[in-house]
Amino acid sequence: MARDEAAQIGACLESARAVVDAMVVLDTGSSDETMAIARAAGAEVYHFAWNDDFAAARNAALAQSRTPWNLILDADEHLAEGAEQLRAAVAKPADFIGVLPVVSGFDLAGQVDTSTAWIPRLLPAGVRYQGRVHEQPVSEWPRVRLPVTIHHSGYRRAALKRKQGRNRKLLLAMLAERPEEASLHYQQGKNCEVYDDFEEAARQYQHALQASALLSRQPAAQRPVVSAPAAAAGRDQASTPERANGLATISRDQTLMSTVRPFS
């Protein structure tokens, strides 16, 4: 990465500094100043061999956590507002998934526009991810929206150029395994659209609609069910009485984790 890209790690950590007590960075192969910046911020740095699987990297980072709660942040994100609401959320029992608004910036017609997506980012201990890309936490816990805003710069023009082709490759690998999964076609459509491949985007969206229609016509008993082995583990770990409330932040590109101090 270039110097300004590596500095995103510092910005990510700095945004959480008010609530962070200890941090662990799981580096997936950076060749810039990422590790030095992380250490300067007080983080412990570990290494993970990148294997084209974001869920594997996130899960490796989550395995380092010893707190009831984990707040997920990517290297190109920072906490913008909602610290008090976050403190209130982690003071509660770890028996739900926190869904947070992620505000992404886009370069459009010479100006920066934004869009907001609500994404599960506050996870109880024991919950793990599934999926090579656009990975999702696998859990039966209910989803609860929290007004804790995250700002994301990964869709800006320069960032998109750096990672062009990456998500397409991973989505194609997943589609080879599950060709009728509507969500994968939808994500591939989005990926094509941001790179101005509108014809292929339209095809992928059409595939997604067709797959969704087929699924909706199946009897409920015949629809695929995603297993959630991590949910039970999350209940066991979250109920351990000696564990204080805390958070962890994890970045996507250099998987980052921060264990935070208890809240009183």
Side-chain angles (χ1 to χ4, degrees), residues 195-226:
Y195 290 110
D196 297 334
D197 186 355
F198 301 117
E199 185 176 347
E200 180 61 22
R203 280 197 292 267
Q204 292 296 329
Y205 288 144
Q206 186 63 38
H207 284 314
L209 286 170
Q210 291 170 349
S212 297
L214 287 172
L215 181 62
S216 66
R217 290 198 294 268
Q218 290 181 4
Q222 297 179 14
R223 296 176 190 173
V225 177
V226 177

Side-chain angles (χ1 to χ4, degrees), residues 7-20:
Q8 290 179 342
I9 286 286
C12 178
L13 293 173
E14 187 63 32
S15 72
R17 187 179 293 277
V19 293
V20 168

Side-chain angles (χ1 to χ4, degrees), residues 13-204:
L13 293 173
E14 187 63 32
S15 72
R17 187 179 293 277
V19 293
V20 168
D21 182 54
M23 298 177 288
V24 173
V25 171
L26 188 71
D27 187 85
T28 59
S30 65
S31 57
D32 54 18
E33 301 167 348
T34 293
M35 291 184 288
I37 291 172
R39 290 191 179 103
E44 299 177 20
V45 179
Y46 297 89
H47 300 277
F48 179 82
W50 176 243
N51 60 355
D52 287 340
D53 190 326
F54 282 114
R58 286 202 189 277
N59 292 340
L62 284 166
Q64 302 294 328
S65 175
R66 297 296 180 270
T67 56
W69 287 104
N70 297 288
L71 173 66
I72 313 304
L73 289 177
D74 290 349
D76 54 7
E77 297 174 340
H78 65 272
L79 286 172
E81 58 186 59
E84 292 304 317
Q85 290 86 343
L86 193 56
R87 291 188 180 95
V90 299
K92 299 176 181 178
D95 57 3
F96 64 92
I97 301 288
V99 183
L100 278 54
V102 179
V103 181
S104 297
F106 298 85
D107 295 295
L108 295 173
Q111 63 183 13
V112 179
D113 203 351
T114 62
S115 69
T116 301
W118 288 81
I119 303 176
R121 288 300 188 86
L122 185 64
L123 309 183
V127 174
R128 294 295 184 263
Y129 279 88
Q130 186 177 81
R132 292 175 182 267
V133 66
H134 296 301
E135 62 285 357
Q136 293 295 317
V138 180
S139 175
E140 294 175 343
W141 292 122
R143 266 64 170 171
V144 177
R145 287 194 172 193
L146 301 174
V148 182
T149 304
I150 295 171
H151 281 181
H152 171 231
S153 62
Y155 290 152
R156 300 293 301 275
R157 186 173 291 111
L160 286 174
K161 184 177 180 180
R162 289 194 300 270
K163 57 189 179 183
Q164 186 168 4
R166 184 199 66 189
N167 287 6
R168 183 185 182 95
K169 171 187 173 183
L170 299 180
L171 284 165
L172 285 173
M174 294 175 69
L175 280 166
E177 299 167 354
R178 304 194 298 277
E180 299 306 319
E181 188 163 323
S183 64
L184 295 179
H185 286 289
Y186 170 71
Q187 294 294 350
Q188 189 69 288
K190 285 179 59 180
N191 184 69
C192 292
E193 186 176 355
V194 299
Y195 290 110
D196 297 334
D197 186 355
F198 301 117
E199 185 176 347
E200 180 61 22
R203 280 197 292 267
Q204 292 296 329

